[in-house]
Amino acid sequence: MSAQIGVTGLAVMGANLARNLARNGFTVALHNRSVAKTDALLEKHGGDGDFVRTETLQELVDSLEKPRRVLIMVKAGAPVDSVIEALEPLLEPGDIVIDAGNSHFQDTRRREAALAQKDLHFVGIGVSGGEEGALNGPSIMPGGSRESYDALGPLLEKISAHVDGKPCCAWIGTDGAGHFVKMVHNGIEYADMQVIGEAFDLLRAGAGIEPAEQAKIFTEWNKGELASFLIEIAAEVLAHTDAKTGSPFVDVVVDAAGQKGTGRWTVISALELGSPTSGIAESVFARALSSQTAQRTEAQDKLAGHEESITVGEGFVEDVRQALFASKLVSYAQGLDMLTGAAKEYNWDLKLDEIAGLWRGGCIIRAELLKDITKAYSAQDKPANLLFAPAFSEAIAGALPAWRRVVATAVQLGIPVPVFSSSLAYYDGLRRKRLPAALTQGLRDLFGAHTYHRVDGDGTFHTLWGEDKSEVEAVDTH
């Protein structure tokens, strides 16, 4: 039997992608370093479709039709390089190697360039949706050459999630574009989860609303403009009771959030691009702070709070909902703006309307508002920033009074809301006529002769601070 695609690495994600392919009518060759894992998959799920059992990479390659398509699903980093190194001598020009893990986009760019020298295609694809998505239809973000997508795309589009009859899969761009877009998706996901957590904290610590009652509130929120996968499952988690203690589930879970690196990568890449993803950055730092459990315990005894004793009004729940929606919009705006900067830096032709469309189904950040985001970037007059699109500028304007009240109340109560507040600061920073950066430039010029520009004419200038403070024209060192 000749297989249309091979999968090596049969942990849960790899196994579920293989099963998804088989369920959709493709013959899938299976390989794993431990043959027992291959046999376990076949024993339990062999009825999902046509599989070819192989024990070695040579057998895997020999079982594939040409051009061969080999999908790697192993841990990011050195394990991916190891599999590529073993595969490379077994392949022929035109064959396609696919990395469907959470690899860093710069690794993908390096691998794509190296394999292109050997006339092999390398495709890094971002896959979002977790274990369930991998099996039933994920959001898929493939990079690599257009030629490789022509050979691979039909398979990926068929196994992806579909919304309004359209696959949540499309060619993103060359080399590492697919993995970059997936990385930014995960950055938005970090911020999205953090603002949901901040809303939960405000409703409980600020308004005294217990988790079970909050579950009902989140369920209602999921019927409106906040409708999304994360709001939906937040309601489910908040409603859950721990069987052992009878307590709300959220009260028996240690409040230290982990991370696997993609959020951190997003922030590092944003810094390299000069892209202000403050909400995403604060969500990463919030997880880091939550994990400093020893310091947090000591701080409870040593650091004063002086919180104000205030009572929140009846409209507080609605205020929190509006602040949550506004902060969520900012997270998407920052992520999409980062993609615009990356497209210029790495010479990618990123189509933001298509990318937003890919995120409408299958992935973790899928949400109703992505329909309007897709529409905004499909328009002939595309917004320079998502917040400039009329639908969203009007929505934020309507939510702004509530947003400010919520942030102010949180500060008075001593409840940390890093993403609510930093997102509001980003919004205000965009709209302010003058920012204090003028003073920053003056300081930089005084201590380091870094020069500055003037508002009343062209040119680059430096003040002779240590002499007579006269101004001279200078070479631009910005």
Side-chain angles (χ1 to χ4, degrees):
M1 189 182 293
S2 185
Q4 288 145 300
I5 189 167
V7 177
T8 179
L10 299 177
V12 177
M13 285 294 289
N16 281 4
L17 282 173
R19 292 176 60 198
N20 189 349
L21 285 158
R23 287 178 174 185
N24 278 281
F26 301 107
T27 301
V28 185
L30 302 174
H31 172 266
N32 195 78
R33 187 172 58 178
S34 164
V35 180
K37 191 161 283 189
T38 306
D39 290 337
L41 189 156
L42 288 170
E43 182 179 351
K44 193 170 184 180
H45 302 293
D48 280 350
D50 293 327
F51 295 106
V52 178
R53 178 186 181 276
T54 71
E55 295 190 3
T56 66
L57 283 177
Q58 183 68 66
E59 288 182 10
L60 178 74
V61 169
D62 290 343
S63 71
L64 299 174
E65 67 180 23
K66 298 179 182 181
R68 300 177 180 89
R69 308 175 186 94
V70 183
L71 188 149
I72 301 170
M73 202 61 177
V74 299
K75 189 176 179 181
V80 176
D81 286 320
S82 178
V83 174
I84 292 172
E85 186 179 346
L87 268 175
E88 183 191 311
L90 310 178
L91 300 174
E92 297 176 359
D95 289 346
I96 306 169
V97 178
I98 309 134
D99 175 14
N102 268 336
S103 288
H104 193 279
F105 78 99
Q106 292 287 24
D107 285 340
T108 303
R109 299 185 81 205
R110 167 179 59 79
R111 291 163 182 153
E112 195 270 346
L115 290 183
Q117 296 291 319
K118 311 243 176 102
D119 292 324
L120 296 172
H121 296 284
F122 184 77
V123 177
I125 64 173
V127 179
S128 179
E131 298 172 10
E132 183 180 344
L135 180 62
N136 298 316
S139 172
I140 304 178
M141 296 150 263
S145 68
R146 181 74 222 196
E147 182 185 353
S148 64
Y149 189 76
D150 290 340
L152 184 62
L155 285 78
L156 299 180
E157 289 177 16
K158 192 166 184 182
I159 70 167
S160 73
H162 285 66
V163 175
D164 296 334
K166 294 182 179 179
C168 293
C169 174
W171 181 61
I172 298 294
T174 54
D175 53 72
H179 273 143
F180 189 94
V181 169
K182 172 55 164 49
M183 177 188 74
V184 172
H185 162 284
N186 283 22
I188 296 171
E189 177 188 311
Y190 272 55
D192 211 343
M193 285 193 281
Q194 177 63 26
V195 291
I196 289 171
E198 291 174 16
F200 157 72
D201 200 11
L202 283 162
L203 293 179
R204 196 177 198 188
I209 302 174
E210 291 303 307
E213 190 61 31
Q214 285 201 41
K216 299 174 186 176
I217 293 170
F218 274 80
T219 298
E220 281 302 308
W221 286 355
N222 197 44
K223 296 175 183 177
E225 61 187 1
L226 277 173
S228 62
F229 173 67
L230 284 171
I231 292 290
E232 176 189 338
I233 65 173
E236 183 177 351
V237 172
L238 288 167
H240 185 51
T241 300
D242 176 53
K244 185 177 180 181
T245 63
S247 301
F249 173 73
V250 290
D251 287 347
V252 301
V253 176
V254 175
D255 60 337
Q259 56 180 299
K260 291 189 175 179
T262 48
R264 182 173 67 250
W265 290 349
T266 306
V267 177
I268 293 170
S269 296
L271 289 169
E272 292 170 344
L273 292 167
S275 183
T277 57
S278 52
I280 295 172
E282 287 292 351
S283 69
V284 175
F285 292 140
R287 292 196 189 188
L289 177 62
S290 76
S291 297
Q292 291 190 325
T293 52
Q295 285 193 34
R296 288 176 52 212
T297 300
E298 187 174 354
Q300 291 166 32
D301 294 328
K302 294 186 174 179
L303 300 184
H306 297 299
E307 298 93 338
E308 294 188 23
S309 178
I310 61 171
T311 303
V312 299
E314 290 184 7
F316 187 65
V317 172
E318 174 59 16
D319 278 0
V320 171
R321 185 195 69 80
Q322 292 190 44
L324 174 55
F325 181 68
S327 300
K328 185 185 182 81
L329 275 182
V330 168
S331 298
Y332 281 90
Q334 291 181 349
L336 291 164
D337 189 54
M338 183 176 171
L339 293 182
T340 299
K344 295 175 183 175
E345 178 71 19
Y346 302 115
N347 197 29
W348 294 329
D349 181 21
L350 300 183
K351 297 177 175 61
L352 299 186
D353 56 336
E354 285 190 0
I355 291 169
L358 302 187
W359 292 345
R360 288 188 62 200
C363 69
I364 304 302
I365 66 169
R366 59 186 184 267
E368 279 300 310
L369 65 87
L370 281 159
K371 185 175 183 179
D372 289 333
I373 293 176
T374 303
K375 189 183 298 182
Y377 285 109
S378 299
Q380 189 169 358
D381 187 17
K382 295 175 173 55
N385 184 297
L386 176 65
L387 302 183
F388 300 166
F392 296 119
S393 59
E394 291 168 11
I396 291 244
L400 197 55
W403 198 6
R404 293 196 190 285
R405 284 194 297 269
V406 166
V407 171
T409 299
V411 171
Q412 289 176 298
L413 292 172
I415 300 171
V417 285
V419 178
F420 274 23
S421 56
S422 66
S423 298
L424 180 57
Y426 171 83
Y427 176 85
D428 283 333
L430 277 178
R431 53 173 289 280
R432 280 289 294 277
K433 186 175 181 179
R434 290 280 289 173
L435 292 171
L439 177 57
T440 301
Q441 285 300 87
L443 296 172
R444 294 179 72 238
D445 188 60
L446 189 153
F447 69 68
H450 290 296
T451 73
Y452 53 88
H453 295 151
R454 296 180 59 93
V455 299
D456 54 2
D458 297 331
T460 302
F461 301 92
H462 167 58
T463 292
L464 301 173
W465 297 99
E467 300 175 29
D468 60 0
K469 292 186 172 56
S470 60
E471 184 178 77
V472 297
E473 284 206 52
V475 177
D476 189 350
T477 60
H478 283 65

